[in-house]
Amino acid sequence: MRDHLHRENSPHPEVWTGRATNRIQWLLALAGAACLALGIELAVDSAWNSGTAPLVMSVVGCIAAGLLVLFGTLAFVHVALRVDKEALEVRCGHMGLPRRRIPLSHVAGAEFAPHVTPRHWGGWGYRWRPEKGTAVVVRRGEGVVLRLWDGHTFTITVDDAESAVRVIRDRLRPPAPGRA
């Protein structure tokens, strides 16, 4: 879905915002909640006769796995990108964590990536690969690739990535003489 329709010569907004969502992550969160519920059910209504150690291990394992899957997937249901005149900020999930703020003074350039996939990055989420850089990947599709002055790259999947790239590139250029 494209919310930000800009022509090449039209002025950009003071703050550009974009977002990408992955509804499949809700299914994984549901599986985590089910595992958590199983752990609670085992703890409350246990009819195990083989001792307490296996019961405790099962309860702790189910609850730990459930919490890990539930919160791990909810953190990457969506990503929000915000670009203002000074920085670019990426927030993940409903709580906005993990979060990364990159000052535009650290950005050497921005490129549009038409096909970013979780497979290229090793899955969904906040990813790092030595040969590719860092990425926040919540779904397959278009994204923004930032080239940083320190030689690293940072990729974000976001709807209307072309518009984000135009805004970032415009803000990286020095102001024209006579423009404030």
Side-chain angles (χ1 to χ4, degrees):
M1 188 165 141
R2 296 182 183 258
D3 294 355
H4 310 283
L5 297 177
H6 298 292
R7 289 186 209 106
E8 285 297 321
N9 297 331
S10 70
H12 299 295
E14 289 291 319
V15 176
W16 186 94
T17 58
R19 179 180 176 112
T21 301
N22 184 344
R23 290 184 178 89
I24 294 173
Q25 293 283 75
W26 285 108
L27 294 174
L28 295 172
L30 185 62
C35 193
L36 183 64
L38 176 62
I40 293 169
E41 173 65 23
L42 285 173
V44 172
D45 191 27
S46 63
W48 288 32
N49 296 327
S50 59
T52 58
L55 175 63
V56 170
M57 289 176 20
S58 298
V59 169
V60 170
C62 283
I63 290 175
L67 287 173
L68 183 65
V69 171
L70 181 64
F71 290 116
T73 57
L74 288 180
F76 295 102
V77 167
H78 65 82
V79 64
L81 175 63
R82 181 180 190 274
V83 181
D84 60 27
K85 292 188 184 265
E86 298 169 2
L88 174 137
E89 187 174 66
V90 179
R91 293 176 166 224
C92 301
H94 295 290
M95 295 189 314
L97 297 171
R99 174 185 318 175
R100 181 158 182 198
R101 187 177 195 299
I102 302 171
L104 290 177
S105 61
H106 295 182
V107 178
E111 287 133 29
F112 171 70
H115 301 292
V116 178
T117 67
R119 184 174 46 104
H120 293 135
W121 286 95
W124 287 311
Y126 201 103
R127 298 294 180 181
W128 174 75
R129 293 190 58 188
E131 72 279 3
K132 294 186 86 161
T134 308
V136 176
V137 180
V138 297
R139 53 113 174 104
R140 178 180 47 190
E142 60 186 316
V144 175
V145 179
L146 298 175
R147 285 180 290 104
L148 306 178
W149 285 112
D150 63 5
H152 294 98
T153 62
F154 186 70
T155 304
I156 312 110
T157 55
V158 65
D159 294 338
D160 198 16
E162 286 180 288
S163 177
V165 168
R166 280 195 304 272
V167 169
I168 293 166
R169 285 179 179 168
D170 186 54
R171 299 212 170 137
L172 292 178
R173 281 190 224 123
R179 245 176 71 186

